[in-house]
Amino acid sequence: MPERGGLPIRLEGVRVERGRRTLVHDLTLRLEAGPLSVLLGPNGAGKSVLLRLLAGLLQPSAGTLEPARRPGEGSAIVLQRPVLLRRSVLANVEYALRLRGIDGPERDQRVRRVLEATGLLGFEQRPARRLSVGEQQRLAIARAWALEPDLVLLDEPAAPLDPPSTRALEEAVRRLHEEGRKVVLATHDLGQARRLADEILFIHEGRVLEQAGSGEFFEGPKSAEARAFLAGQLPE
Ligand SMILES: Nc1ncnc2c1ncn2[C@@H]1O[C@H](COP(=O)(O)OP(=O)(O)O)[C@@H](O)[C@H]1O
Ligand SMILES: [Mg+2]
């Protein structure tokens, strides 16, 4: 796939330190434009730190990340607990577009398209903060999607959701990816990883131990840590 919108992303020896702690160690990897990439690993593994690097919200303490990332430039991140405006569903999406100077029929078209794709048509006038958790997550995705970023970073979007809300969310994520956007989704949920991933990046204690096609990873994980994780035990 040709290079576009800052993809592929190349990390070479990337380390992030906070005080005396190293949060991620020596990350060397490449993210291509095509596959839906799932960042899989237990709590505290470094998934959010890596997503924040990719979003340009954090800079490496050492190593190189190319092309350089800046917040909002070609990427959008949906945080684990998205902050919605205390206004209607419609106003939340429109506001994001207005900040980018997108108005008029173009704005209306985008709003309709993303609300339809995330299953929120008919919810326009509902107060965003009264939506269910699942609907709020889908609204956060819709708001990011409306900006048409090449790269969408999703941080455990389904963590607090029940199975029907999870299905609705995953459907929205699939549609986002089918539209040709690069999606990197962090999760500790094996089921979600199996359902969504084209490729898995398995992360453990701040290191990406494996990057492999989803089939290959689930059939034969190479690291002991990944095998233990798949067997349902958290590695020591
Ligand atoms: N700003 C920070 N300062 C210090 N430690 C942090 C900071 N952000 C994250 N960490 C630590 O880095 C590790 C990885 O965190 P995180 O990326 O949030 O894990 P995950 O998202 O996989 O659950 C954890 O041990 C966490 O406590
Ligand atoms: Mg996290």
mmCIF file with all atom_site columns, all heavy atoms in Angstrom, residues 72 74-76 93-102 110 113-114 141-150 181:
data_model
loop_
_atom_site.group_PDB
_atom_site.id
_atom_site.type_symbol
_atom_site.label_atom_id
_atom_site.label_alt_id
_atom_site.label_comp_id
_atom_site.label_asym_id
_atom_site.label_entity_id
_atom_site.label_seq_id
_atom_site.pdbx_PDB_ins_code
_atom_site.Cartn_x
_atom_site.Cartn_y
_atom_site.Cartn_z
_atom_site.occupancy
_atom_site.B_iso_or_equiv
_atom_site.pdbx_formal_charge
_atom_site.auth_seq_id
_atom_site.auth_comp_id
_atom_site.auth_asym_id
_atom_site.auth_atom_id
_atom_site.pdbx_PDB_model_num
ATOM 1   N N   . GLY A 1 72  ? -3.433  15.421 16.621 1.00 0.00 ? 72  GLY A N   1
ATOM 2   C CA  . GLY A 1 72  ? -4.461  15.899 15.704 1.00 0.00 ? 72  GLY A CA  1
ATOM 3   C C   . GLY A 1 72  ? -4.041  15.965 14.250 1.00 0.00 ? 72  GLY A C   1
ATOM 4   O O   . GLY A 1 72  ? -4.876  16.141 13.375 1.00 0.00 ? 72  GLY A O   1
ATOM 5   N N   . GLY A 1 74  ? -3.510  14.241 11.256 1.00 0.00 ? 74  GLY A N   1
ATOM 6   C CA  . GLY A 1 74  ? -3.682  12.972 10.551 1.00 0.00 ? 74  GLY A CA  1
ATOM 7   C C   . GLY A 1 74  ? -4.113  11.830 11.457 1.00 0.00 ? 74  GLY A C   1
ATOM 8   O O   . GLY A 1 74  ? -4.382  10.737 10.989 1.00 0.00 ? 74  GLY A O   1
ATOM 9   N N   . SER A 1 75  ? -4.161  12.066 12.769 1.00 0.00 ? 75  SER A N   1
ATOM 10  C CA  . SER A 1 75  ? -4.584  10.989 13.650 1.00 0.00 ? 75  SER A CA  1
ATOM 11  C C   . SER A 1 75  ? -5.626  11.496 14.640 1.00 0.00 ? 75  SER A C   1
ATOM 12  O O   . SER A 1 75  ? -5.737  12.689 14.903 1.00 0.00 ? 75  SER A O   1
ATOM 13  C CB  . SER A 1 75  ? -3.391  10.423 14.429 1.00 0.00 ? 75  SER A CB  1
ATOM 14  O OG  . SER A 1 75  ? -2.984  11.320 15.432 1.00 0.00 ? 75  SER A OG  1
ATOM 15  N N   . ALA A 1 76  ? -6.392  10.556 15.171 1.00 0.00 ? 76  ALA A N   1
ATOM 16  C CA  . ALA A 1 76  ? -7.345  10.885 16.231 1.00 0.00 ? 76  ALA A CA  1
ATOM 17  C C   . ALA A 1 76  ? -7.274  9.769  17.248 1.00 0.00 ? 76  ALA A C   1
ATOM 18  O O   . ALA A 1 76  ? -7.154  8.595  16.885 1.00 0.00 ? 76  ALA A O   1
ATOM 19  C CB  . ALA A 1 76  ? -8.756  10.996 15.670 1.00 0.00 ? 76  ALA A CB  1
ATOM 20  N N   . VAL A 1 93  ? -20.488 16.398 17.699 1.00 0.00 ? 93  VAL A N   1
ATOM 21  C CA  . VAL A 1 93  ? -19.800 16.146 16.428 1.00 0.00 ? 93  VAL A CA  1
ATOM 22  C C   . VAL A 1 93  ? -19.600 17.467 15.670 1.00 0.00 ? 93  VAL A C   1
ATOM 23  O O   . VAL A 1 93  ? -18.526 17.731 15.131 1.00 0.00 ? 93  VAL A O   1
ATOM 24  C CB  . VAL A 1 93  ? -20.569 15.116 15.570 1.00 0.00 ? 93  VAL A CB  1
ATOM 25  C CG1 . VAL A 1 93  ? -19.793 14.809 14.293 1.00 0.00 ? 93  VAL A CG1 1
ATOM 26  C CG2 . VAL A 1 93  ? -20.804 13.829 16.355 1.00 0.00 ? 93  VAL A CG2 1
ATOM 27  N N   . GLU A 1 94  ? -20.639 18.300 15.672 1.00 0.00 ? 94  GLU A N   1
ATOM 28  C CA  . GLU A 1 94  ? -20.534 19.579 14.949 1.00 0.00 ? 94  GLU A CA  1
ATOM 29  C C   . GLU A 1 94  ? -19.420 20.464 15.512 1.00 0.00 ? 94  GLU A C   1
ATOM 30  O O   . GLU A 1 94  ? -18.709 21.129 14.769 1.00 0.00 ? 94  GLU A O   1
ATOM 31  C CB  . GLU A 1 94  ? -21.862 20.342 15.018 1.00 0.00 ? 94  GLU A CB  1
ATOM 32  C CG  . GLU A 1 94  ? -22.897 19.744 14.089 1.00 0.00 ? 94  GLU A CG  1
ATOM 33  C CD  . GLU A 1 94  ? -24.191 20.555 14.064 1.00 0.00 ? 94  GLU A CD  1
ATOM 34  O OE1 . GLU A 1 94  ? -24.380 21.432 14.932 1.00 0.00 ? 94  GLU A OE1 1
ATOM 35  O OE2 . GLU A 1 94  ? -25.004 20.295 13.160 1.00 0.00 ? 94  GLU A OE2 1
ATOM 36  N N   . TYR A 1 95  ? -19.290 20.437 16.823 1.00 0.00 ? 95  TYR A N   1
ATOM 37  C CA  . TYR A 1 95  ? -18.279 21.290 17.463 1.00 0.00 ? 95  TYR A CA  1
ATOM 38  C C   . TYR A 1 95  ? -16.874 20.889 17.005 1.00 0.00 ? 95  TYR A C   1
ATOM 39  O O   . TYR A 1 95  ? -16.055 21.735 16.658 1.00 0.00 ? 95  TYR A O   1
ATOM 40  C CB  . TYR A 1 95  ? -18.410 21.189 18.985 1.00 0.00 ? 95  TYR A CB  1
ATOM 41  C CG  . TYR A 1 95  ? -17.416 22.045 19.716 1.00 0.00 ? 95  TYR A CG  1
ATOM 42  C CD1 . TYR A 1 95  ? -17.563 23.429 19.736 1.00 0.00 ? 95  TYR A CD1 1
ATOM 43  C CD2 . TYR A 1 95  ? -16.331 21.480 20.378 1.00 0.00 ? 95  TYR A CD2 1
ATOM 44  C CE1 . TYR A 1 95  ? -16.643 24.227 20.401 1.00 0.00 ? 95  TYR A CE1 1
ATOM 45  C CE2 . TYR A 1 95  ? -15.413 22.279 21.047 1.00 0.00 ? 95  TYR A CE2 1
ATOM 46  C CZ  . TYR A 1 95  ? -15.573 23.648 21.051 1.00 0.00 ? 95  TYR A CZ  1
ATOM 47  O OH  . TYR A 1 95  ? -14.668 24.430 21.705 1.00 0.00 ? 95  TYR A OH  1
ATOM 48  N N   . ALA A 1 96  ? -16.616 19.576 16.988 1.00 0.00 ? 96  ALA A N   1
ATOM 49  C CA  . ALA A 1 96  ? -15.297 19.088 16.550 1.00 0.00 ? 96  ALA A CA  1
ATOM 50  C C   . ALA A 1 96  ? -15.011 19.559 15.127 1.00 0.00 ? 96  ALA A C   1
ATOM 51  O O   . ALA A 1 96  ? -13.889 19.955 14.796 1.00 0.00 ? 96  ALA A O   1
ATOM 52  C CB  . ALA A 1 96  ? -15.258 17.566 16.636 1.00 0.00 ? 96  ALA A CB  1
ATOM 53  N N   . LEU A 1 97  ? -16.043 19.533 14.279 1.00 0.00 ? 97  LEU A N   1
ATOM 54  C CA  . LEU A 1 97  ? -15.850 19.942 12.883 1.00 0.00 ? 97  LEU A CA  1
ATOM 55  C C   . LEU A 1 97  ? -15.656 21.459 12.780 1.00 0.00 ? 97  LEU A C   1
ATOM 56  O O   . LEU A 1 97  ? -14.822 21.933 11.994 1.00 0.00 ? 97  LEU A O   1
ATOM 57  C CB  . LEU A 1 97  ? -17.040 19.488 12.032 1.00 0.00 ? 97  LEU A CB  1
ATOM 58  C CG  . LEU A 1 97  ? -17.062 17.981 11.777 1.00 0.00 ? 97  LEU A CG  1
ATOM 59  C CD1 . LEU A 1 97  ? -18.394 17.545 11.196 1.00 0.00 ? 97  LEU A CD1 1
ATOM 60  C CD2 . LEU A 1 97  ? -15.923 17.575 10.845 1.00 0.00 ? 97  LEU A CD2 1
ATOM 61  N N   . ARG A 1 98  ? -16.402 22.187 13.574 1.00 0.00 ? 98  ARG A N   1
ATOM 62  C CA  . ARG A 1 98  ? -16.277 23.644 13.539 1.00 0.00 ? 98  ARG A CA  1
ATOM 63  C C   . ARG A 1 98  ? -14.861 24.070 13.905 1.00 0.00 ? 98  ARG A C   1
ATOM 64  O O   . ARG A 1 98  ? -14.293 24.966 13.301 1.00 0.00 ? 98  ARG A O   1
ATOM 65  C CB  . ARG A 1 98  ? -17.307 24.295 14.461 1.00 0.00 ? 98  ARG A CB  1
ATOM 66  C CG  . ARG A 1 98  ? -17.441 25.800 14.208 1.00 0.00 ? 98  ARG A CG  1
ATOM 67  C CD  . ARG A 1 98  ? -18.674 26.405 14.876 1.00 0.00 ? 98  ARG A CD  1
ATOM 68  N NE  . ARG A 1 98  ? -19.861 25.578 14.673 1.00 0.00 ? 98  ARG A NE  1
ATOM 69  C CZ  . ARG A 1 98  ? -20.687 25.182 15.644 1.00 0.00 ? 98  ARG A CZ  1
ATOM 70  N NH1 . ARG A 1 98  ? -20.464 25.526 16.899 1.00 0.00 ? 98  ARG A NH1 1
ATOM 71  N NH2 . ARG A 1 98  ? -21.745 24.451 15.369 1.00 0.00 ? 98  ARG A NH2 1
ATOM 72  N N   . LEU A 1 99  ? -14.263 23.369 14.891 1.00 0.00 ? 99  LEU A N   1
ATOM 73  C CA  . LEU A 1 99  ? -12.884 23.699 15.292 1.00 0.00 ? 99  LEU A CA  1
ATOM 74  C C   . LEU A 1 99  ? -11.906 23.535 14.129 1.00 0.00 ? 99  LEU A C   1
ATOM 75  O O   . LEU A 1 99  ? -10.863 24.166 14.103 1.00 0.00 ? 99  LEU A O   1
ATOM 76  C CB  . LEU A 1 99  ? -12.426 22.806 16.449 1.00 0.00 ? 99  LEU A CB  1
ATOM 77  C CG  . LEU A 1 99  ? -13.051 23.059 17.812 1.00 0.00 ? 99  LEU A CG  1
ATOM 78  C CD1 . LEU A 1 99  ? -12.448 22.102 18.834 1.00 0.00 ? 99  LEU A CD1 1
ATOM 79  C CD2 . LEU A 1 99  ? -12.844 24.501 18.263 1.00 0.00 ? 99  LEU A CD2 1
ATOM 80  N N   . ARG A 1 100 ? -12.263 22.648 13.196 1.00 0.00 ? 100 ARG A N   1
ATOM 81  C CA  . ARG A 1 100 ? -11.405 22.446 12.022 1.00 0.00 ? 100 ARG A CA  1
ATOM 82  C C   . ARG A 1 100 ? -11.841 23.317 10.843 1.00 0.00 ? 100 ARG A C   1
ATOM 83  O O   . ARG A 1 100 ? -11.355 23.139 9.732  1.00 0.00 ? 100 ARG A O   1
ATOM 84  C CB  . ARG A 1 100 ? -11.453 20.975 11.564 1.00 0.00 ? 100 ARG A CB  1
ATOM 85  C CG  . ARG A 1 100 ? -10.878 20.024 12.536 1.00 0.00 ? 100 ARG A CG  1
ATOM 86  C CD  . ARG A 1 100 ? -9.347  20.156 12.551 1.00 0.00 ? 100 ARG A CD  1
ATOM 87  N NE  . ARG A 1 100 ? -8.780  19.286 13.569 1.00 0.00 ? 100 ARG A NE  1
ATOM 88  C CZ  . ARG A 1 100 ? -8.443  18.019 13.355 1.00 0.00 ? 100 ARG A CZ  1
ATOM 89  N NH1 . ARG A 1 100 ? -8.590  17.472 12.169 1.00 0.00 ? 100 ARG A NH1 1
ATOM 90  N NH2 . ARG A 1 100 ? -7.959  17.305 14.335 1.00 0.00 ? 100 ARG A NH2 1
ATOM 91  N N   . GLY A 1 101 ? -12.806 24.184 11.081 1.00 0.00 ? 101 GLY A N   1
ATOM 92  C CA  . GLY A 1 101 ? -13.268 25.068 10.015 1.00 0.00 ? 101 GLY A CA  1
ATOM 93  C C   . GLY A 1 101 ? -14.151 24.371 8.988  1.00 0.00 ? 101 GLY A C   1
ATOM 94  O O   . GLY A 1 101 ? -14.258 24.840 7.847  1.00 0.00 ? 101 GLY A O   1
ATOM 95  N N   . ILE A 1 102 ? -14.755 23.264 9.369  1.00 0.00 ? 102 ILE A N   1
ATOM 96  C CA  . ILE A 1 102 ? -15.631 22.563 8.422  1.00 0.00 ? 102 ILE A CA  1
ATOM 97  C C   . ILE A 1 102 ? -17.084 22.915 8.739  1.00 0.00 ? 102 ILE A C   1
ATOM 98  O O   . ILE A 1 102 ? -17.550 22.692 9.851  1.00 0.00 ? 102 ILE A O   1
ATOM 99  C CB  . ILE A 1 102 ? -15.397 21.048 8.482  1.00 0.00 ? 102 ILE A CB  1
ATOM 100 C CG1 . ILE A 1 102 ? -13.953 20.753 8.060  1.00 0.00 ? 102 ILE A CG1 1
ATOM 101 C CG2 . ILE A 1 102 ? -16.388 20.299 7.597  1.00 0.00 ? 102 ILE A CG2 1
ATOM 102 C CD1 . ILE A 1 102 ? -13.437 19.451 8.552  1.00 0.00 ? 102 ILE A CD1 1
ATOM 103 N N   . ARG A 1 110 ? -20.967 14.948 6.670  1.00 0.00 ? 110 ARG A N   1
ATOM 104 C CA  . ARG A 1 110 ? -20.083 14.142 7.506  1.00 0.00 ? 110 ARG A CA  1
ATOM 105 C C   . ARG A 1 110 ? -20.792 13.687 8.775  1.00 0.00 ? 110 ARG A C   1
ATOM 106 O O   . ARG A 1 110 ? -20.655 12.542 9.193  1.00 0.00 ? 110 ARG A O   1
ATOM 107 C CB  . ARG A 1 110 ? -18.850 14.955 7.912  1.00 0.00 ? 110 ARG A CB  1
ATOM 108 C CG  . ARG A 1 110 ? -17.876 15.157 6.780  1.00 0.00 ? 110 ARG A CG  1
ATOM 109 C CD  . ARG A 1 110 ? -16.544 15.540 7.375  1.00 0.00 ? 110 ARG A CD  1
ATOM 110 N NE  . ARG A 1 110 ? -15.637 16.085 6.385  1.00 0.00 ? 110 ARG A NE  1
ATOM 111 C CZ  . ARG A 1 110 ? -14.354 16.321 6.645  1.00 0.00 ? 110 ARG A CZ  1
ATOM 112 N NH1 . ARG A 1 110 ? -13.859 16.094 7.844  1.00 0.00 ? 110 ARG A NH1 1
ATOM 113 N NH2 . ARG A 1 110 ? -13.576 16.810 5.711  1.00 0.00 ? 110 ARG A NH2 1
ATOM 114 N N   . ARG A 1 113 ? -23.152 10.859 8.036  1.00 0.00 ? 113 ARG A N   1
ATOM 115 C CA  . ARG A 1 113 ? -22.438 9.629  7.678  1.00 0.00 ? 113 ARG A CA  1
ATOM 116 C C   . ARG A 1 113 ? -21.877 8.936  8.928  1.00 0.00 ? 113 ARG A C   1
ATOM 117 O O   . ARG A 1 113 ? -22.022 7.743  9.109  1.00 0.00 ? 113 ARG A O   1
ATOM 118 C CB  . ARG A 1 113 ? -21.299 9.981  6.716  1.00 0.00 ? 113 ARG A CB  1
ATOM 119 C CG  . ARG A 1 113 ? -20.876 8.864  5.809  1.00 0.00 ? 113 ARG A CG  1
ATOM 120 C CD  . ARG A 1 113 ? -20.034 9.413  4.667  1.00 0.00 ? 113 ARG A CD  1
ATOM 121 N NE  . ARG A 1 113 ? -18.912 10.190 5.170  1.00 0.00 ? 113 ARG A NE  1
ATOM 122 C CZ  . ARG A 1 113 ? -17.762 9.652  5.563  1.00 0.00 ? 113 ARG A CZ  1
ATOM 123 N NH1 . ARG A 1 113 ? -17.582 8.355  5.492  1.00 0.00 ? 113 ARG A NH1 1
ATOM 124 N NH2 . ARG A 1 113 ? -16.788 10.416 5.995  1.00 0.00 ? 113 ARG A NH2 1
ATOM 125 N N   . VAL A 1 114 ? -21.234 9.703  9.808  1.00 0.00 ? 114 VAL A N   1
ATOM 126 C CA  . VAL A 1 114 ? -20.606 9.051  10.962 1.00 0.00 ? 114 VAL A CA  1
ATOM 127 C C   . VAL A 1 114 ? -21.650 8.608  11.998 1.00 0.00 ? 114 VAL A C   1
ATOM 128 O O   . VAL A 1 114 ? -21.455 7.582  12.653 1.00 0.00 ? 114 VAL A O   1
ATOM 129 C CB  . VAL A 1 114 ? -19.507 9.923  11.630 1.00 0.00 ? 114 VAL A CB  1
ATOM 130 C CG1 . VAL A 1 114 ? -18.376 10.187 10.642 1.00 0.00 ? 114 VAL A CG1 1
ATOM 131 C CG2 . VAL A 1 114 ? -20.051 11.212 12.202 1.00 0.00 ? 114 VAL A CG2 1
ATOM 132 N N   . ILE A 1 141 ? -16.154 7.834  19.003 1.00 0.00 ? 141 ILE A N   1
ATOM 133 C CA  . ILE A 1 141 ? -15.593 7.344  17.738 1.00 0.00 ? 141 ILE A CA  1
ATOM 134 C C   . ILE A 1 141 ? -16.148 8.166  16.573 1.00 0.00 ? 141 ILE A C   1
ATOM 135 O O   . ILE A 1 141 ? -15.406 8.575  15.685 1.00 0.00 ? 141 ILE A O   1
ATOM 136 C CB  . ILE A 1 141 ? -15.883 5.836  17.557 1.00 0.00 ? 141 ILE A CB  1
ATOM 137 C CG1 . ILE A 1 141 ? -15.076 5.040  18.593 1.00 0.00 ? 141 ILE A CG1 1
ATOM 138 C CG2 . ILE A 1 141 ? -15.555 5.374  16.138 1.00 0.00 ? 141 ILE A CG2 1
ATOM 139 C CD1 . ILE A 1 141 ? -15.367 3.552  18.599 1.00 0.00 ? 141 ILE A CD1 1
ATOM 140 N N   . ALA A 1 142 ? -17.441 8.443  16.603 1.00 0.00 ? 142 ALA A N   1
ATOM 141 C CA  . ALA A 1 142 ? -18.058 9.237  15.526 1.00 0.00 ? 142 ALA A CA  1
ATOM 142 C C   . ALA A 1 142 ? -17.391 10.610 15.431 1.00 0.00 ? 142 ALA A C   1
ATOM 143 O O   . ALA A 1 142 ? -17.089 11.096 14.339 1.00 0.00 ? 142 ALA A O   1
ATOM 144 C CB  . ALA A 1 142 ? -19.555 9.398  15.783 1.00 0.00 ? 142 ALA A CB  1
ATOM 145 N N   . ARG A 1 143 ? -17.147 11.200 16.571 1.00 0.00 ? 143 ARG A N   1
ATOM 146 C CA  . ARG A 1 143 ? -16.550 12.538 16.609 1.00 0.00 ? 143 ARG A CA  1
ATOM 147 C C   . ARG A 1 143 ? -15.134 12.509 16.034 1.00 0.00 ? 143 ARG A C   1
ATOM 148 O O   . ARG A 1 143 ? -14.730 13.400 15.282 1.00 0.00 ? 143 ARG A O   1
ATOM 149 C CB  . ARG A 1 143 ? -16.536 13.001 18.063 1.00 0.00 ? 143 ARG A CB  1
ATOM 150 C CG  . ARG A 1 143 ? -16.149 14.413 18.275 1.00 0.00 ? 143 ARG A CG  1
ATOM 151 C CD  . ARG A 1 143 ? -16.345 14.811 19.709 1.00 0.00 ? 143 ARG A CD  1
ATOM 152 N NE  . ARG A 1 143 ? -15.519 14.015 20.623 1.00 0.00 ? 143 ARG A NE  1
ATOM 153 C CZ  . ARG A 1 143 ? -15.450 14.218 21.930 1.00 0.00 ? 143 ARG A CZ  1
ATOM 154 N NH1 . ARG A 1 143 ? -16.176 15.171 22.485 1.00 0.00 ? 143 ARG A NH1 1
ATOM 155 N NH2 . ARG A 1 143 ? -14.698 13.462 22.693 1.00 0.00 ? 143 ARG A NH2 1
ATOM 156 N N   . ALA A 1 144 ? -14.379 11.465 16.366 1.00 0.00 ? 144 ALA A N   1
ATOM 157 C CA  . ALA A 1 144 ? -13.024 11.324 15.813 1.00 0.00 ? 144 ALA A CA  1
ATOM 158 C C   . ALA A 1 144 ? -13.097 11.063 14.307 1.00 0.00 ? 144 ALA A C   1
ATOM 159 O O   . ALA A 1 144 ? -12.356 11.645 13.513 1.00 0.00 ? 144 ALA A O   1
ATOM 160 C CB  . ALA A 1 144 ? -12.296 10.182 16.514 1.00 0.00 ? 144 ALA A CB  1
ATOM 161 N N   . TRP A 1 145 ? -14.004 10.190 13.919 1.00 0.00 ? 145 TRP A N   1
ATOM 162 C CA  . TRP A 1 145 ? -14.169 9.751  12.533 1.00 0.00 ? 145 TRP A CA  1
ATOM 163 C C   . TRP A 1 145 ? -14.531 10.938 11.629 1.00 0.00 ? 145 TRP A C   1
ATOM 164 O O   . TRP A 1 145 ? -14.059 11.052 10.499 1.00 0.00 ? 145 TRP A O   1
ATOM 165 C CB  . TRP A 1 145 ? -15.258 8.705  12.517 1.00 0.00 ? 145 TRP A CB  1
ATOM 166 C CG  . TRP A 1 145 ? -15.472 7.948  11.254 1.00 0.00 ? 145 TRP A CG  1
ATOM 167 C CD1 . TRP A 1 145 ? -15.103 8.295  9.992  1.00 0.00 ? 145 TRP A CD1 1
ATOM 168 C CD2 . TRP A 1 145 ? -16.146 6.690  11.156 1.00 0.00 ? 145 TRP A CD2 1
ATOM 169 N NE1 . TRP A 1 145 ? -15.509 7.327  9.111  1.00 0.00 ? 145 TRP A NE1 1
ATOM 170 C CE2 . TRP A 1 145 ? -16.144 6.342  9.800  1.00 0.00 ? 145 TRP A CE2 1
ATOM 171 C CE3 . TRP A 1 145 ? -16.751 5.848  12.082 1.00 0.00 ? 145 TRP A CE3 1
ATOM 172 C CZ2 . TRP A 1 145 ? -16.734 5.163  9.351  1.00 0.00 ? 145 TRP A CZ2 1
ATOM 173 C CZ3 . TRP A 1 145 ? -17.335 4.677  11.628 1.00 0.00 ? 145 TRP A CZ3 1
ATOM 174 C CH2 . TRP A 1 145 ? -17.324 4.340  10.278 1.00 0.00 ? 145 TRP A CH2 1
ATOM 175 N N   . ALA A 1 146 ? -15.379 11.836 12.139 1.00 0.00 ? 146 ALA A N   1
ATOM 176 C CA  . ALA A 1 146 ? -15.849 12.974 11.343 1.00 0.00 ? 146 ALA A CA  1
ATOM 177 C C   . ALA A 1 146 ? -14.683 13.833 10.849 1.00 0.00 ? 146 ALA A C   1
ATOM 178 O O   . ALA A 1 146 ? -14.793 14.490 9.810  1.00 0.00 ? 146 ALA A O   1
ATOM 179 C CB  . ALA A 1 146 ? -16.810 13.819 12.168 1.00 0.00 ? 146 ALA A CB  1
ATOM 180 N N   . LEU A 1 147 ? -13.575 13.789 11.566 1.00 0.00 ? 147 LEU A N   1
ATOM 181 C CA  . LEU A 1 147 ? -12.403 14.583 11.160 1.00 0.00 ? 147 LEU A CA  1
ATOM 182 C C   . LEU A 1 147 ? -11.604 13.891 10.055 1.00 0.00 ? 147 LEU A C   1
ATOM 183 O O   . LEU A 1 147 ? -10.626 14.434 9.563  1.00 0.00 ? 147 LEU A O   1
ATOM 184 C CB  . LEU A 1 147 ? -11.513 14.851 12.376 1.00 0.00 ? 147 LEU A CB  1
ATOM 185 C CG  . LEU A 1 147 ? -12.227 15.568 13.532 1.00 0.00 ? 147 LEU A CG  1
ATOM 186 C CD1 . LEU A 1 147 ? -11.313 15.682 14.741 1.00 0.00 ? 147 LEU A CD1 1
ATOM 187 C CD2 . LEU A 1 147 ? -12.715 16.943 13.102 1.00 0.00 ? 147 LEU A CD2 1
ATOM 188 N N   . GLU A 1 148 ? -12.026 12.674 9.710  1.00 0.00 ? 148 GLU A N   1
ATOM 189 C CA  . GLU A 1 148 ? -11.417 11.884 8.634  1.00 0.00 ? 148 GLU A CA  1
ATOM 190 C C   . GLU A 1 148 ? -9.919  11.707 8.785  1.00 0.00 ? 148 GLU A C   1
ATOM 191 O O   . GLU A 1 148 ? -9.152  11.965 7.851  1.00 0.00 ? 148 GLU A O   1
ATOM 192 C CB  . GLU A 1 148 ? -11.795 12.480 7.267  1.00 0.00 ? 148 GLU A CB  1
ATOM 193 C CG  . GLU A 1 148 ? -13.313 12.546 7.115  1.00 0.00 ? 148 GLU A CG  1
ATOM 194 C CD  . GLU A 1 148 ? -13.787 12.853 5.711  1.00 0.00 ? 148 GLU A CD  1
ATOM 195 O OE1 . GLU A 1 148 ? -12.969 13.311 4.895  1.00 0.00 ? 148 GLU A OE1 1
ATOM 196 O OE2 . GLU A 1 148 ? -14.982 12.619 5.452  1.00 0.00 ? 148 GLU A OE2 1
ATOM 197 N N   . PRO A 1 149 ? -9.469  11.245 9.952  1.00 0.00 ? 149 PRO A N   1
ATOM 198 C CA  . PRO A 1 149 ? -8.039  11.003 10.144 1.00 0.00 ? 149 PRO A CA  1
ATOM 199 C C   . PRO A 1 149 ? -7.606  9.732  9.404  1.00 0.00 ? 149 PRO A C   1
ATOM 200 O O   . PRO A 1 149 ? -8.423  8.820  9.224  1.00 0.00 ? 149 PRO A O   1
ATOM 201 C CB  . PRO A 1 149 ? -7.914  10.790 11.657 1.00 0.00 ? 149 PRO A CB  1
ATOM 202 C CG  . PRO A 1 149 ? -9.255  10.249 12.060 1.00 0.00 ? 149 PRO A CG  1
ATOM 203 C CD  . PRO A 1 149 ? -10.271 10.862 11.132 1.00 0.00 ? 149 PRO A CD  1
ATOM 204 N N   . ASP A 1 150 ? -6.353  9.681  8.986  1.00 0.00 ? 150 ASP A N   1
ATOM 205 C CA  . ASP A 1 150 ? -5.846  8.454  8.361  1.00 0.00 ? 150 ASP A CA  1
ATOM 206 C C   . ASP A 1 150 ? -5.602  7.374  9.396  1.00 0.00 ? 150 ASP A C   1
ATOM 207 O O   . ASP A 1 150 ? -5.631  6.191  9.091  1.00 0.00 ? 150 ASP A O   1
ATOM 208 C CB  . ASP A 1 150 ? -4.534  8.741  7.629  1.00 0.00 ? 150 ASP A CB  1
ATOM 209 C CG  . ASP A 1 150 ? -4.788  9.564  6.388  1.00 0.00 ? 150 ASP A CG  1
ATOM 210 O OD1 . ASP A 1 150 ? -5.799  9.304  5.714  1.00 0.00 ? 150 ASP A OD1 1
ATOM 211 O OD2 . ASP A 1 150 ? -3.990  10.479 6.110  1.00 0.00 ? 150 ASP A OD2 1
ATOM 212 N N   . ARG A 1 181 ? -9.345  3.497  6.692  1.00 0.00 ? 181 ARG A N   1
ATOM 213 C CA  . ARG A 1 181 ? -8.525  4.162  7.715  1.00 0.00 ? 181 ARG A CA  1
ATOM 214 C C   . ARG A 1 181 ? -7.716  3.124  8.479  1.00 0.00 ? 181 ARG A C   1
ATOM 215 O O   . ARG A 1 181 ? -8.155  1.996  8.659  1.00 0.00 ? 181 ARG A O   1
ATOM 216 C CB  . ARG A 1 181 ? -9.412  4.945  8.682  1.00 0.00 ? 181 ARG A CB  1
ATOM 217 C CG  . ARG A 1 181 ? -10.222 5.947  7.927  1.00 0.00 ? 181 ARG A CG  1
ATOM 218 C CD  . ARG A 1 181 ? -10.995 6.932  8.699  1.00 0.00 ? 181 ARG A CD  1
ATOM 219 N NE  . ARG A 1 181 ? -11.897 7.573  7.760  1.00 0.00 ? 181 ARG A NE  1
ATOM 220 C CZ  . ARG A 1 181 ? -11.522 8.465  6.857  1.00 0.00 ? 181 ARG A CZ  1
ATOM 221 N NH1 . ARG A 1 181 ? -10.280 8.879  6.820  1.00 0.00 ? 181 ARG A NH1 1
ATOM 222 N NH2 . ARG A 1 181 ? -12.381 8.965  5.998  1.00 0.00 ? 181 ARG A NH2 1
#
